[in-house]
Each structure stands twice: as C-alpha cells, then as structure tokens.
Amino acid sequence: MSRVDQERNMHRSSNVYRQKQSRIVLNKYVGGFGQQGMDFFTRYNSSVLCSVKGRRWMELSMEEQRAYVMRLLDALEVTDRDKRLKVARAILYLAQGVFDECDTETDVLYWSRHNVFLLYDMGIFTALLELLSMEIDNNQACSSAVRKPAISLADSTELRVLLSIMYLMVETIRVEMEGDSPERKAAREAFKTELGSPLYNGEPFALLLFTMVTKFCSMNAPHFPMKKVLLLLWKTILFTLGGFEELQEMKVRMRELLNLPPLPEDSIKVVRNMRAASPPASAMELIEQQQQQKRGRRSRRPLVKQDSLDTYNERDPFKNDDARDEEDDPEDVDSGIEGEVDPLDRDVIIQPPPPPPPLRPPTERVSFPKGLPWAPKVREKDIEHFLETSRNKFIGFTLGNDIDTLVGLPRPIHESVKTLKQHKYVSIAEVQIKREEELQQCPMTMGEEEVEETPAEILYLGMLPSLSQYVIALLKLLLAAAPTSKAKTDSINILADVLPEEMPITVLQSMKLGIDVNRHKEIIVKAISALLLLLLKHFKLNHIYQFEYVAQHLVFANCIPLILKFFNQNIMSYISAKNSICALDYPHCVVHEMPELTAESLEAGDSNQFCWRNLFSCINLLRILNKITKWKHSRTMMLVVFKSAPILKRALKVKQAMMQLYVLKLLKIQTKYLGRQWRKSNMKTMSAIYQKVRHRLNDDWAYGNDIDARPWDFQAEECALRECIEKFNTRRYDKNQNTEFTPVDNCLQSVLGQRVDLPEDFHYSYEMWLEREVFSQPIQWEGLLQAQ
C-alpha cells in the first residue's frame, strides 16, 4: 500500500471514529432542519460513496458523479423496501454535503449546494415524489400506527428520510447566491415553475403536503412527521409564491396595471428603519423602583417616571432605569431586541445584532424624527361620509356619492376636502370589489373574465374544495404546539417524530429530550404562522375575496382566541427561551470535535440573548390577527370581548420595533371601545400609537364619540361577507352552474327525446316501478284543471 493510501485510510478512519463518537453523544440530536433522526447521520452510506473506484466523492469528475447518481436513481425503483431505504439514505448523505470528506463548515455547505443541483438535474425529486406518494398511501403502515399505543421515531423512518431530502433540495435551490451560474439560475426558475404548477397528479406539490396534514389531524396517519411536513410545506409555498420582497414588487406592478398611483412608501423599509420603544412600566415595576430608591440606590429624581415612548428609543441618562438594566449594562441602558427579522428568510437562529454605540453627550442625546414614519391615508368612503355629514349640517340634504360638488359649504370644509383628497388612497382590493360587483350585475355586458394563471391562483383553485379542512388542521397543530396548551387538552400527538423508542434513563438524556421537545414545538409554531401569513398576503393580492374566504375560515375556527391564548403567557420568557444546543447544530457537529455535554452546559444554553425563531413566530401571529380583524367591526369587538388589551399590552415589553408596531395596531382598532378610563391610564401607549401607527385623517380612534352605541351584529356582517364570497367562487370556479342565463328547451318532442342514463337494475324493476308509481296512483284531473 502506498504512503498516500495509508494517509487517506488514516484520515478516513479518524473521521469515522469522530463521527461515531458524535453520533453516540448526539443521541440522534442534530441541528439545521431537524435535530432528531438517524437519517441525518447514516454513516455506512458514506463508505459506499467514498469508495467509487477507490476515490472520494470530491475527486470524481462531473460525469462520474452523474453516473453514480443515475445508478442510485435506478436503485430507487427496486421492490425491496430495505434496499430502497438504504439508497435514499445515500442520496440524503449527498444532499447533506458528504460531510465525512469535509474539514470545514464552508466545505459542507459548498458540496451540499453542488450536490443538490446535481440531484435535481438528474430527476431525483420526481422519483422521491413517487416514493412519498407510495408512503402516504401505505394503508398497512397507517393501520399499524393507529393500533400502536405509543408512536416513536422508528414508525416514520422512510418518511423522514424522503422529506429531509426534499426539504434540502427546496430550501437550497430556493436561496439565490451571488456566484450562481446561469445554469443554476435557469434550474431555479424551472424548479419554481414545476412546484407551483399542477404537474403532480393534476395538483401542485403543496396540495400533497396539505393532504398529509389533514390525514394526520384526522388520526388516520398518526405516524406522519408533522414538523418536517410543515417545514417543507412552508418552504414550498415561500418558493413558489414568493417572499415579502417579491410580494411588494408584485403589488407595485399590479397597481401600475390598474392605473393606480404608486404606494406612498415601501412598508418593508419603513418597518426596518423603526426603532424599538421602551415598554410601559407595570404597577409592580414602579413599586419595585420606589422601594429601591428607599434603600438608597443611586437616584437622580425623587419620583421615578416611566420613560416616554416618544423618544424613539433614545433614553435620558439622567432618568432612573430598571434595576436589572443598571446591573446588566450601566452604559447601554437601552439593551434589548434591536435587530429586525427578515420576512420569512431568516434561519432558525441568527446571531444577535452588534451592541449599539455609547450614548452621545447630553446636548445631542435626543434625535427627534423629522416626521411620522407613515404617510396618512384616506379612503373614498371616508370622504363621502365627511361630505355627507357636512351637507346635512350646513345645507340640510345630501348628494349621495358625490365628492366633487362643494356648493353651499363653508370655506374650511373646502380646505378639508382638498386635504383629504391629497391623501386619498385607493387599494387594489377596492378595485377588485368594484369589478366583481360589475361582473355580478352585468354578466352579459362584461363578458367572461380573463383570469391569469398565477401560482397563487392555481394554489387557491386546488385548495378550494377542502380549504376549511386545511385551515382547521393547521389550527389544531398550532394549538397542540402552543406553550400555553396543557398536555391533557392535546387532541393530537405532535411528538411522534421526536420521541425515541426507548425513553431516557439518565438526567442528561432527559434534559436533551426536553430541549428537543420544546424546540420541536417552537418550529411547528414557526412554520404554521409563516405559512398562514404567506397564504393570507398572497391571496389578498391575487383577489380580495380569496383572502376573505381564508380569513373567514380562520375566524370560524376560533383563530382569534387561539392567538390571544398563545400570547397569554410570559412573553419575555418565550422570546428568550434557549431550546437549542449550538454544539449539535448542523454542520458544526460533523466538522468540529464534539464537546462533552453536561447537565450544566445544557441548562446554561447558548450565548444568544434572544430566540429569533420565537420572535419570528410572535410577529407572524400578530400580523395574522391584524389581517383578519382589519376593517371588520364584529371581529374587532371579539378582541374587546376576549379582553385582549392587557394581553397585548404585556407583549409591548418585547423591545423590538416590528413586534411593537403590530401590537400597537391591534390596540389602536379597539381603543375607542375600551372606555375613557382605559385611555386615561394608558397615555404612554396612546402616544406610541400616535407615533408608530399609520393615521387615518378622520379616524377618531383616540376619542370614541358615541361609538359604543353602534350595534354589534356579528352574524349579519359575516353572513353578508359570506354571500359575496360564495357569489365570487360560484361565478369564477363553478363552471357547471345552472343560472338564470342557461338556455331552456321548450320543445316537448326534443325534451322527451333526450337520452337519460339509467342504472342497470332499473330495467329489471321497470314494470314494478310503473305499477307502484303510475298505475296505482289515482290522478285527480278535476283538481289539476282547477289548479290551472
């Protein structure tokens, strides 16, 4: 044996020993996509890959790599289940970046990306999809899982391997890198089109995953790994429909097509530039501060006041701060969550933002904004309402929907109308509603509507027959994964793909399993919240009634109290939860030496001060709540009835600008119903609403004049909306509808001459039917003539 071969074998044996030790210590615990599962550490496949003609995978040429992948693709079609699983594990090892041959994390990520594009080019995804369909339709596995008293990881091994490969392919191809070649860019666009088109059994790939979710929630397949299914579903929707930046570009293009004025600002940039504000102090905190002053702690004022929310996070160093802030960092008195979350494009855990610079001298410490962050908006119906009120007051009659005639009105009203028109905003939804009304009123004149086959339209068309089942299934999973849910109330077992066959017997194993279970639930909440928000935003842009249909199903499925229940906890503890072990994150754990894990190190957690995954989930849930309650009086009253104000106010303690913005939006829409005393005792919150939330020029949110007398008829409002939605769905998607415009055949001879398909058994019982239904029934001809 040559010296080179000896060194290669020594290197390979050391790697094998290192990976074996990592696998023993990890106890099937790994970072990245999922910390559970032997499918991420299938070591015996690496020896198969590394021994292609005695060379490593990295040493093979592109043609040799393609030939090997082709052999794996052929081997996926064997009938032996164990052999198929072994080949699938080999493909998974390739998709993970042949980590046994890599020395750094960068190498693992590079080869993972290289191999994923190679696998897609060779048609691996289509083959995996066929295997996934076979596993979903495997009634024997489903029935055995239903009969089992306890389901563990072993019941979903094949599914987890397949879903892991598909997730790695979708997520890797979805993310665009600067150095991507034109071939990779073309492959990305082709894969995106393929996933969003009805190419898989006549429906998009996302619908297959939705079917898995509903099948799991109906207890017909309790062994499905829901965390992997939901993550793959979320990333598939994100890839095919687009993220928030793509959504903003689509919105700009659609406004141009509809000849609407451009948007007053880019909402994503405005939110990113916002600064977090200091939360209002609770009564307990004020009492604690006063007690600390009495003990002789450093004080600049005899009475502690809550820091104002209107300084945009610029704190006065001469004010007393909370004792905990002083002890942690006396210079950085505004320590907190300052970073922003990229919409749906963040990793599970990101590094905390760098510390802000030290405070400037007192003469320059306060930097007031030049203006409010949002341009005010006015709807056309608001201008109509203003003119109607003014005409009734000064003239004594109204002119309907006329917003141009100002005859007889005083000069100040003219100036007011001019200002309102300057800030008039016509949304895409208003144009779509008006267009739908015209199509309903004049179907013959308007003609057939041309519907563009966008990915969102294709997805909605596929989801429409079972949309309510999908929504209910997602909310069931969200309820089961919520930290406020009790174990006895969980109707479904979401831990089927996290619990091992043998329960832990040591304290260290129990701690690792507890961390993994909590992390498992957090990822499920993250995936569901992001998925629902994506669907709502894309359907709203595609057509407003598609959005309203999904939103109404969410409301009917008790989504509003569910989200409020989620926030009815110690939200700061949830945001700062440390349910991750950095040493076990992928690919760190397969490249570096594995440190010794102890109970103390697990309890200490990582160095991140906050869990961005949980912050991401909270912001998504708040945005969903905003979406389904905006401009809906009955749903806003549900927030009041469920006493959401104190729950939302506690969420303001999280010093993150985006989260605070959506909390303040939810508080703003219900302040007029909370009473004068609440507004009086929460002036800091009212000030924050004024500074951070967009203004409607004639909105009396801070006053609530006689608004409590407005009737609240939830059923009437929802029924009226449901009627509009059903008309829209019937007109656009029910092609076999029998409307009043269907031609009627009045010729008796042609009607009687039509061929009617009758069942086979009808021919045998025809004479009996005649005797029973015709001959034995007396006909009163006189009565029939009198009725005529």
Side-chain angles (χ1 to χ4, degrees):
M1 184 180 294
S2 65
R3 182 181 180 87
V4 176
D5 293 335
Q6 290 179 354
E7 291 180 354
R8 181 181 300 150
N9 290 336
M10 290 176 61
H11 173 73
R12 186 177 302 152
S13 62
S14 64
N15 278 340
V16 171
Y17 175 77
R18 183 181 64 198
Q19 298 304 334
K20 287 182 178 178
Q21 294 299 317
S22 300
R23 188 167 72 252
I24 294 173
V25 176
L26 288 176
N27 190 21
K28 304 176 186 178
Y29 193 102
V30 110
F33 174 48
Q35 293 180 339
Q36 286 281 0
M38 285 297 293
D39 47 293
F40 278 91
F41 281 92
T42 309
R43 291 294 303 111
Y44 60 83
N45 290 299
S46 62
S47 62
V48 178
L49 293 175
C50 296
S51 61
V52 179
K53 296 182 181 180
R55 289 183 294 171
R56 305 164 67 193
W57 176 260
M58 298 180 181
E59 298 172 353
L60 300 178
S61 64
M62 178 61 73
E63 290 74 16
E64 292 173 326
Q65 291 178 354
R66 295 173 68 91
Y68 186 81
V69 173
M70 182 60 69
R71 289 199 296 270
L72 291 178
L73 185 60
D74 294 337
L76 279 178
E77 299 179 359
V78 298
T79 56
D80 191 339
R81 186 183 186 89
D82 294 333
K83 290 183 179 179
R84 285 204 314 266
L85 178 59
K86 185 176 180 179
V87 174
R89 288 181 185 275
I91 296 174
L92 176 59
Y93 176 71
L94 282 177
Q96 288 174 326
V98 288
F99 49 80
D100 187 39
E101 304 179 13
C102 300
D103 297 325
T104 63
E105 297 182 25
T106 305
D107 292 341
V108 175
L109 297 177
Y110 169 80
W111 282 104
S112 173
R113 188 171 185 82
H114 169 81
N115 294 341
V116 162
F117 276 96
L118 175 62
L119 293 175
Y120 172 71
D121 188 42
M122 298 301 295
I124 290 291
F125 190 86
T126 304
L128 294 175
L129 183 61
E130 295 178 358
L131 292 178
L132 181 63
S133 301
M134 290 173 53
E135 292 294 334
I136 294 174
D137 298 333
N138 189 350
N139 296 325
Q140 182 179 358
C142 294
S143 58
S144 61
V146 169
R147 291 192 299 266
K148 275 191 174 183
I151 303 174
S152 63
L153 281 165
D155 299 309
S156 59
T157 303
E158 295 83 358
L159 279 171
R160 286 185 292 108
V161 171
L162 296 175
L163 291 170
S164 298
I165 303 172
M166 300 174 87
Y167 177 89
L168 287 171
M169 294 184 67
V170 171
E171 178 62 7
T172 303
I173 298 177
R174 181 187 70 85
V175 179
E176 186 174 359
M177 306 293 287
E178 293 183 359
D180 283 347
S181 61
E183 292 78 11
R184 288 190 175 182
K185 294 181 179 179
R188 179 181 300 106
E189 293 300 322
F191 192 34
K192 178 179 179 180
T193 305
E194 181 181 342
L195 289 177
S197 302
L199 301 179
Y200 306 106
N201 296 326
E203 59 185 18
F205 174 60
L207 285 184
L208 178 65
L209 301 176
F210 270 119
T211 304
M212 294 185 68
V213 174
T214 54
K215 198 172 182 180
F216 174 83
C217 291
S218 61
M219 304 303 292
N220 292 326
H223 65 294
F224 281 179
M226 269 301 101
K227 184 188 72 174
K228 294 182 183 293
V229 173
L230 291 171
L231 281 173
L232 180 56
L233 177 58
W234 164 36
K235 293 298 183 178
T236 301
I237 297 294
L238 178 61
F239 187 21
T240 55
L241 301 188
F244 286 171
E245 294 183 355
E246 293 91 338
L247 192 68
Q248 188 75 8
E249 296 174 358
M250 292 163 55
K251 189 174 183 180
V252 171
R253 291 197 299 267
M254 184 169 288
R255 292 188 66 86
E256 292 178 354
L257 292 175
L258 297 176
N259 296 323
L260 295 176
L263 295 169
E265 70 275 308
D266 188 340
S267 58
I268 298 178
K269 293 181 180 179
V270 173
V271 174
R272 284 177 178 171
N273 293 329
M274 275 190 174
R275 301 292 302 275
S278 305
S282 63
M284 184 61 66
E285 291 173 345
L286 293 175
I287 293 174
E288 290 178 358
Q289 290 175 352
Q290 293 177 359
Q291 290 176 350
Q292 291 166 2
Q293 291 177 5
K294 294 179 181 179
R295 298 191 192 105
R297 290 184 61 86
R298 178 171 59 89
S299 177
R300 299 288 182 179
R301 294 185 179 181
L303 179 63
V304 177
K305 293 184 178 181
Q306 168 63 32
D307 291 335
S308 176
L309 283 164
D310 60 355
T311 58
Y312 272 72
N313 221 18
E314 295 290 344
R315 305 284 291 277
D316 191 339
F318 294 101
K319 289 185 178 182
N320 283 317
D321 203 356
D322 188 52
R324 291 170 294 184
D325 290 341
E326 293 178 354
E327 293 172 359
D328 292 341
D329 194 353
E331 294 181 357
D332 183 16
V333 296
D334 197 25
S335 60
I337 301 176
E338 294 289 340
E340 293 294 339
V341 178
D342 243 358
L344 299 183
D345 288 325
R346 286 283 185 182
D347 292 330
V348 175
I349 293 292
I350 65 174
Q351 295 297 325
L359 292 175
R360 292 170 290 182
T363 56
E364 302 177 0
R365 69 177 185 273
V366 178
S367 177
F368 291 101
K370 296 181 180 180
L372 295 174
W374 304 99
K377 290 181 180 179
V378 181
R379 297 180 300 173
E380 184 172 346
K381 62 175 61 177
D382 296 330
I383 302 177
E384 295 174 0
H385 178 70
F386 174 76
L387 280 175
E388 183 179 357
T389 306
S390 301
R391 288 168 181 152
N392 278 328
K393 179 178 180 181
F394 294 103
I395 303 177
F397 63 90
T398 61
L399 298 178
N401 298 329
D402 187 0
I403 61 173
D404 298 323
T405 304
L406 303 177
V407 177
L409 297 176
R411 188 64 184 174
I413 301 297
H414 289 222
E415 297 295 333
S416 300
V417 173
K418 180 180 178 181
T419 303
L420 291 175
K421 288 184 177 181
Q422 287 176 352
H423 297 90
K424 178 183 174 182
Y425 176 78
V426 180
S427 65
I428 297 175
E430 292 176 344
V431 176
Q432 292 172 342
I433 291 175
K434 185 176 181 181
R435 170 72 174 175
E436 183 64 24
E437 292 176 352
E438 293 175 352
L439 288 171
Q440 294 287 350
Q441 293 176 358
C442 309
M444 306 299 290
T445 305
M446 301 298 295
E448 190 72 19
E449 181 187 17
E450 296 182 2
V451 181
E452 184 180 358
E453 291 293 328
T454 61
E457 182 69 26
I458 296 173
L459 180 62
Y460 180 81
L461 180 60
M463 294 178 62
L464 184 59
S466 305
L467 185 61
S468 60
Q469 299 177 20
Y470 300 150
V471 170
I472 293 174
L474 291 176
L475 292 184
K476 279 184 177 181
L477 293 170
L478 182 61
L479 176 62
T484 54
S485 298
K486 305 299 180 182
K488 61 181 180 181
T489 60
D490 291 346
S491 58
I492 51 179
N493 179 22
I494 59 172
L495 304 179
D497 55 333
V498 71
L499 296 178
E501 288 186 276
E502 298 179 0
M503 296 306 292
I505 56 177
T506 65
V507 176
L508 182 62
Q509 292 175 353
S510 300
M511 292 184 66
K512 287 196 294 185
L513 182 59
I515 292 175
D516 205 14
V517 167
N518 292 333
R519 175 181 177 276
H520 185 84
K521 291 183 177 181
E522 290 173 0
I523 293 177
I524 289 179
V525 173
K526 173 185 178 180
I528 294 176
S529 62
L531 173 62
L532 287 175
L533 182 60
L534 268 177
L535 291 177
L536 287 174
K537 291 187 72 67
H538 278 281
F539 285 157
K540 185 175 183 179
L541 181 62
N542 196 56
H543 199 284
I544 183 61
Y545 283 137
Q546 295 177 355
F547 160 80
E548 295 291 359
Y549 194 42
V550 178
Q552 194 168 68
H553 277 298
L554 287 171
V555 173
F556 290 164
N558 287 331
C559 181
I560 294 178
L562 173 58
I563 295 179
L564 294 178
K565 179 181 179 181
F566 181 90
F567 280 96
N568 193 19
Q569 59 171 316
N570 189 343
I571 199 67
M572 286 301 298
S573 299
Y574 185 72
I575 293 296
S576 57
K578 298 180 179 180
N579 292 316
S580 294
I581 303 175
C582 294
L584 306 183
D585 285 345
Y586 188 85
H588 181 276
C589 60
V590 296
V591 175
H592 300 86
E593 293 294 335
M594 182 60 57
E596 182 181 0
L597 297 177
T598 61
E600 290 75 15
S601 62
L602 291 180
E603 188 174 359
D606 52 27
S607 59
N608 293 326
Q609 188 177 3
F610 300 98
C611 178
W612 291 99
R613 173 176 59 240
N614 292 348
L615 178 63
F616 176 84
S617 303
C618 291
I619 294 176
N620 288 340
L621 291 175
L622 289 170
R623 298 187 71 173
I624 293 170
L625 200 55
N626 269 285
K627 286 286 182 187
I628 62 180
T629 56
K630 186 177 182 181
W631 303 118
K632 301 292 188 299
H633 173 64
S634 58
R635 299 176 189 175
T636 303
M637 291 304 299
M638 290 179 67
L639 293 177
V640 179
V641 170
F642 291 132
K643 295 181 172 57
S644 65
I647 298 175
L648 295 172
K649 189 180 175 184
R650 285 198 299 269
L652 286 175
K653 292 183 178 180
V654 180
K655 293 166 64 178
Q656 206 275 341
M658 182 180 290
M659 183 169 175
Q660 287 183 346
L661 172 65
Y662 292 106
V663 171
L664 294 173
K665 280 188 173 184
L666 288 169
L667 287 173
K668 177 185 176 182
I669 62 176
Q670 54 178 319
T671 50
K672 61 181 71 174
Y673 311 110
L674 296 176
R676 183 177 301 176
Q677 184 60 36
W678 187 93
R679 296 193 292 268
K680 183 178 179 182
S681 57
N682 292 274
M683 289 307 297
K684 304 298 183 186
T685 304
M686 300 289 287
S687 177
I689 294 174
Y690 176 82
Q691 292 171 349
K692 293 182 177 296
V693 183
R694 188 189 302 274
H695 286 276
R696 302 282 173 170
L697 294 183
N698 52 355
D699 184 12
D700 58 346
W701 63 272
Y703 307 101
N705 297 326
D706 299 328
I707 199 68
D708 293 333
R710 182 179 174 183
W712 176 36
D713 192 347
F714 174 82
Q715 187 174 5
E717 293 186 21
E718 295 296 338
C719 287
L721 178 60
R722 186 61 177 267
E723 183 182 0
C724 296
I725 295 171
E726 289 180 349
K727 287 182 178 179
F728 164 76
N729 287 332
T730 302
R731 181 193 61 79
R732 183 179 255 191
Y733 303 111
D734 189 4
K735 300 303 180 182
N736 297 323
Q737 54 185 334
N738 294 320
T739 64
E740 62 270 20
F741 302 105
T742 303
V744 178
D745 190 355
N746 296 320
C747 180
L748 179 62
Q749 186 175 2
S750 63
V751 171
L752 294 177
Q754 292 180 358
R755 181 178 179 83
V756 179
D757 294 330
L758 300 173
E760 294 182 2
D761 57 345
F762 183 77
H763 298 283
Y764 302 103
S765 59
Y766 175 66
E767 295 181 356
M768 297 176 57
W769 179 83
L770 276 178
E771 184 66 31
R772 184 180 66 252
E773 300 293 337
V774 181
F775 299 146
S776 62
Q777 297 293 333
I779 301 177
Q780 299 179 359
W781 299 102
E782 295 81 0
L784 181 63
L785 293 174
Q786 291 176 3
Q788 292 295 334

